[in-house]
Structures are given as structure tokens and as C-alpha cells.
């Protein structure tokens, strides 16, 4: 029985890898092939060659547009006519709204009261219908599926969907084109769409590369789920990495298993370390990034890895952050670092 399950999982992984290559061509008109830069300041700081994949420069301010584009483009014409809905901590909602608007499709975005003002304001300008429900992504998700049942809309899941995973995996292909001998990649981790897709893409080309997921210490649901051996539920806590909040679903179909089988390590970073990552990115590259985008940098700056690598990188996932958060973080960073 175990052997059959392993064979089935390998078959699914192979099919998903094929979907990643197909997604790359399909989503090209709707996304940017973002820069991968060799960061001299980060490299000097940790005495290694560090590369940053700047997904914060996507049209919607985050990598999420890749998965949303791939999913929506794969819908049937009838499904497109009925519209799409999603639940989100902000960035995925912005991505779905952007793609839907470009394709002339009606969209509804369900978010909780925890979504930061900057993302709420951007969503209100996106042309989508916005529904603010409860205090967690799980509550927004429940309402979203009620819309699906009532109006026949297609729910575009934030992460646990093959088309979404494949879209995010295109980042891995772009990274290895630029640095084929990369030894390790740190990937921000929430529900796992980005980490699952990237791990599959990287390992299919470069099996020895180390793929490492990074979450915040506060409510790291996937981290605790992998540790427990099955999906768990955690209460959401306030964090600078608000984009990484939310559950993975007790009936998780794809991301939990892909990460369990293909990811080499999972790390946690503190709020102080995330703030340091945000501050250093602004200081070194004059880029304001959100907390979720800074977790990989935080891990590098605080020597979280079990070994050093000659060439390693991280994905800077987004820049949709409140000005008040950036201001506060930078004031503390300047006081601490002079």
C-alpha cells in the first residue's frame, strides 16, 4: 500500500513538472520575468554569493500573479462567464483581481479584517468586488465557498491547486536559467504553493540543490503540520509577515505532500529578525518589501542555515506593505544600526 502511494505521488509530481513548463509559456503575456540580482551587500554580509529573485517587481507587487494567471487561463469559457472568487491575505486577491480584469472576468475577493490597509486600498481600486469577513483567512475561505455554491463562481485557491502550484513553479525555471549552479534557495512559506512549485521545478533540473522553506515564528501552520505529520490548525497571531498567515486546509491535497517529499529543511524566524531583513533590504537596495518577502533574508542574516553554500538565493516575494509599518521598522533599524 505504501509503495502504491509513493508511485502515485511520483506520477503526480511528474505531471506537475510538465504543467510548470506549460505554465511558463501560457502566463507570459500577463507576468514579468523578474530580475535575479547578485546582491553585493548581502554577499559581503554573510561571506557567500547571494542572489535575490525580485518578485516584488511584478505588476501586482507580488509573485502571486503567476499562479492566478495560470489557473484562470485554464478555465473553460463557461467557467469564465460565471466569474471567479478567492480568499486571500491580500496578495493573491490582488493577483486574481488583476488577471480577471485583464481577461474581462468578474471577480470577488474575500478577505479578513487582518488584511493590512495598503492591500485593502489596492483591492478596492482593482475592479473586483471586495467582501471583508471575520478575523482569519479560514473565515474568509468559508464565505468564499458559499459564493461558489450560490452563484456557480470558480474558487481560485491561493495555493492548494495544481495550476496555481505550476504557475508559481515558473520562478524556479527562471532562477536556474540565470544561475544554473545555484546550491540552495530559501523560499518564504505559508500555504506552500510557492515552495511546492519551486521545489518541483528546481529538483527536476538540479536534484542536488537544497530547497529550504522559511516561515515566521508566529502561527507557522505548514511548519507545524510537517512536524506533526498531518495538517493542523493554529490561531492567527499578529506578525510582520502577515502574507504568510492562514491555514493549509485539513484536507490539503497537494502542497503538504509535495513539501514533505521535496523540501530539504524548514526554518523559522522571529519578528525582530524579519524587521532586520526589511531594514537591510531598504538600506542595501533601497527597496521597501513586506515582512513575508524578508523571511529568507532574515534567515541568511541570522545564520539560520545548517551549513554555508557558495551560491544561494532567496525569493523577494512582494512589496505590498503599509507605509506605517515600513516607517516604524526603519526607525528601529536606524536606531539599532546607527
Amino acid at each position: 500500500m505504501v509503495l502504491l502511494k509513493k508511485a502515485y505521488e511520483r506520477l503526480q509530481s511528474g505531471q506537475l513538472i510538465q504543467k510548470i513548463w506549460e505554465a511558463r509559456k501560457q502566463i507570459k503575456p500577463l507576468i514579468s520575468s523578474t530580475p535575479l540580482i547578485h546582491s553585493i551587500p548581502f554577499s559581503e554580509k554573510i561571506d557567500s554569493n547571494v542572489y535575490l529573485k525580485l518578485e516584488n517587481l511584478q505588476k501586482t507587487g507580488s509573485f502571486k500573479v503567476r499562479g492566478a494567471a495560470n489557473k484562470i487561463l485554464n478555465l473553460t469559457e463557461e467557467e469564465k462567464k460565471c466569474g471567479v472568487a478567492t480568499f486571500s491575505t491580500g496578495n493573491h486577491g490582488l493577483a486574481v483581481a488583476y488577471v480577471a480584469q485583464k481577461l474581462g472576468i468578474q471577480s470577488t475577493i474575500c478577505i479578513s479584517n487582518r488584511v493590512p490597509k495598503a492591500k485593502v486600498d489596492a483591492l478596492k481600486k482593482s475592479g473586483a468586488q471586495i467582501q471583508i469577513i471575520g478575523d482569519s483567512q479560514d473565515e474568509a475561505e468559508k464565505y468564499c465557498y458559499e459564493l461558489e455554491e450560490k452563484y456557480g463562481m470558480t474558487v481560485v485557491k491561493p495555493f492548494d491547486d495544481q495550476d496555481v502550484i505550476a504557475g508559481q513553479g515558473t520562478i524556479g525555471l527562471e532562477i536556474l536559467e540565470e544561475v544554473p549552479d545555484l546550491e540552495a534557495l530559501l523560499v518564504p512559506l505559508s500555504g506552500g504553493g510557492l515552495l511546492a512549485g519551486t521545489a518541483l521545478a528546481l529538483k527536476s533540473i538540479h536534484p542536488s540543490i537544497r530547497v529550504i522553506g522559511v516561515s515566521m515564528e508566529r502561527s507557522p501552520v505548514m511548519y507545524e503540520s510537517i512536524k506533526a505529520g498531518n495538517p493542523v490548525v493554529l490561531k492567527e497571531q499578529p506578525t510582520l509577515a502577515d502574507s504568510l498567515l492562514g491555514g493549509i486546509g485539513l484536507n490539503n491535497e497537494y502542497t503538504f505532500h509535495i513539501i514533505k517529499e521535496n523540501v530539504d529543511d524548514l526554518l523559522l524566524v522571529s519578528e525582530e529578525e524579519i524587521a532586520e531583513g526589511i531594514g537591510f533590504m531598504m538600506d542595501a537596495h533601497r527597496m521597501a518589501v513586506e515582512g513575508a518577502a524578508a523571511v529568507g533574508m532574515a534567515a541568511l542574516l541570522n545564520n539560520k542555515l545548517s551549513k554555508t553554500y557558495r551560491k544561494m538565493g532567496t525569493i523577494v516575494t512582494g512589496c505590498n506593505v503599509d507605509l506605517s509599518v515600513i516607517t516604524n521598522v526603519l526607525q528601529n533599524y536606524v536606531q539599532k544600526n546607527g
Side-chain angles (χ1 to χ4, degrees):
M1 192 71 177
V2 173
L3 289 175
L4 284 173
K5 183 181 179 184
K6 291 287 184 183
Y8 177 68
E9 288 175 353
R10 283 196 296 272
L11 176 63
Q12 279 195 316
S13 293
Q15 291 171 341
L16 259 172
I17 291 165
Q18 180 63 35
K19 282 178 176 286
I20 292 170
W21 285 98
E22 292 169 355
R24 185 178 188 187
K25 182 178 180 180
Q26 177 166 254
I27 67 177
K28 191 174 181 179
L30 290 170
I31 66 120
S32 300
S33 181
T34 55
L36 179 72
I37 64 169
H38 179 217
S39 173
I40 300 301
F42 272 99
S43 299
E44 291 178 345
K45 183 78 171 178
I46 68 171
D47 195 26
S48 178
N49 288 296
V50 177
Y51 296 83
L52 305 177
K53 180 62 168 169
L54 301 180
E55 285 294 293
N56 55 308
L57 300 182
Q58 283 292 352
K59 296 168 184 176
T60 62
S62 90
F63 75 96
K64 288 284 192 177
V65 69
R66 293 174 182 262
N70 197 45
K71 176 63 178 180
I72 295 173
L73 286 167
N74 279 329
L75 296 180
T76 66
E77 290 306 312
E78 188 61 34
E79 287 171 330
K80 290 175 183 177
K81 287 178 183 177
C82 293
V84 295
T86 195
F87 48 98
S88 172
T89 52
N91 285 333
H92 177 66
L94 286 167
V96 170
Y98 171 80
V99 174
Q101 185 180 54
K102 285 289 184 182
L103 299 177
I105 298 170
Q106 179 186 350
S107 65
T108 299
I109 315 300
C110 303
I111 59 176
S112 79
N113 285 300
R114 285 190 181 276
V115 173
K117 183 178 183 297
K119 292 174 184 174
V120 176
D121 290 345
L123 281 168
K124 288 178 178 177
K125 297 174 184 176
S126 69
Q129 293 185 352
I130 312 303
Q131 298 287 342
I132 302 177
I133 310 295
D135 294 313
S136 72
Q137 180 166 314
D138 289 344
E139 291 176 270
E141 176 182 359
K142 182 181 176 182
Y143 183 78
C144 187
Y145 280 106
E146 290 174 3
L147 292 178
E148 178 187 44
E149 187 174 341
K150 188 173 181 180
Y151 299 109
M153 306 173 87
T154 297
V155 173
V156 181
K157 296 180 182 179
F159 52 87
D160 197 31
D161 178 281
Q162 288 196 13
D163 290 329
V164 172
I165 293 168
Q168 320 304 27
T170 60
I171 296 173
L173 302 182
E174 291 179 14
I175 288 173
L176 284 189
E177 274 194 341
E178 296 284 332
V179 188
D181 56 345
L182 193 73
E183 295 176 357
L185 183 71
L186 285 80
V187 183
L189 172 61
S190 178
L194 176 61
L195 181 57
T198 306
L200 285 174
L202 294 176
K203 297 280 189 178
S204 70
I205 300 169
H206 188 356
S208 63
I209 194 170
R210 300 283 291 182
V211 182
I212 301 160
V214 189
S215 296
M216 66 287 178
E217 290 179 350
R218 295 181 177 178
S219 308
V221 181
M222 182 63 82
Y223 176 93
E224 293 296 343
S225 295
I226 296 293
K227 187 176 173 182
N230 54 265
V232 301
V233 175
L234 298 179
K235 184 178 179 181
E236 292 184 9
Q237 300 178 58
T239 173
L240 285 170
D242 56 86
S243 291
L244 302 184
L245 285 172
I248 68 167
L250 293 177
N251 297 314
N252 187 288
E253 292 185 80
Y254 304 109
T255 57
F256 174 82
H257 300 288
I258 293 170
I259 288 169
K260 187 178 179 183
E261 296 298 322
N262 296 278
V263 173
D264 299 290
D265 199 6
L266 299 179
L267 306 174
L268 297 180
V269 289
S270 69
E271 294 301 299
E272 292 76 16
E273 290 164 344
I274 295 170
E276 182 183 2
I278 295 172
F280 195 86
M281 187 65 177
M282 177 62 85
D283 191 20
H285 291 290
R286 296 298 185 263
M287 288 186 179
V289 300
E290 55 193 85
V295 295
M297 293 176 279
L300 290 175
L301 291 170
N302 289 278
N303 301 309
K304 296 285 183 174
L305 280 70
S306 59
K307 61 174 287 188
T308 57
Y309 299 91
R310 187 174 56 89
K311 289 186 177 182
M312 53 187 167
T314 187
I315 303 172
V316 184
T317 50
C319 63
N320 296 313
V321 59
D322 280 0
L323 181 60
S324 60
V325 172
I326 286 290
T327 301
N328 185 54
V329 167
L330 293 181
Q331 284 176 344
N332 293 332
Y333 182 85
V334 170
Q335 288 176 1
K336 183 178 178 180
N337 296 277

